[in-house]
Amino acid sequence: MTTKRSRSTAAAGLVLGAALSLLGAAGTAEAAPTGTTGYATTVQAHSNLREQPNTSSRIWGTTTKVTEAGVECYTLGQYVKVGTYGTSVWYYGTVIDYDIGHIYSNVWMWGGNVNVGADPAPGIPRC
């Protein structure tokens, strides 16, 4: 869980076919396409991808725009409030950022940045 796996643009191209349908409609969680695990969704722009489900853990990367993700599970971690929304739900999975040519595996994403509609999202299991 604590290792960052960053792959080159060439590797991102290999998963492009399998990941094209990763873009789930905002507010829903659906089965991820073949070749990925978890539920397909998106992560908001400028979201930190972390080593653990808290804001004091290492940042593996930051999304450059709304980015595709495959969420495997969720846990209750640090409560974070931004504006009027706060949650202690954190999602674990893979984020594909085509703009910078990276795939971040085994990262934590704060629930307020993951476009699943509710925290925790129905159908996503607890880690």
Side-chain angles (χ1 to χ4, degrees), residues 2 15 58 69 83 88 94 123:
T2 61
V15 297
R58 182 177 182 167
S88 61
T94 301

Side-chain angles (χ1 to χ4, degrees), residues 22 29-33 35-41 69-73 92-94 123-125:
L22 261 175
E30 40 187 73
T36 62
T37 59
Y39 295 83
T41 189
V71 172
E72 295 178 30
C73 58
Y92 179 77
T94 301
I124 296 178

Side-chain angles (χ1 to χ4, degrees), residues 33-96:
T34 305
T36 62
T37 59
Y39 295 83
T41 189
T42 57
V43 179
Q44 295 176 10
H46 313 295
S47 298
N48 289 325
L49 310 173
R50 296 193 175 268
E51 181 177 47
Q52 297 295 322
N54 60 64
T55 60
S56 61
S57 68
R58 182 177 182 167
I59 297 172
W60 289 125
T62 302
T63 58
T64 57
K65 64 178 184 176
V66 174
T67 305
E68 298 174 11
V71 172
E72 295 178 30
C73 58
Y74 78 92
T75 194
L76 298 180
Q78 178 188 359
Y79 179 84
V80 177
K81 185 172 183 180
V82 175
T84 60
Y85 186 76
T87 185
S88 61
V89 172
W90 290 73
Y91 295 98
Y92 179 77
T94 301
V95 176
I96 303 169

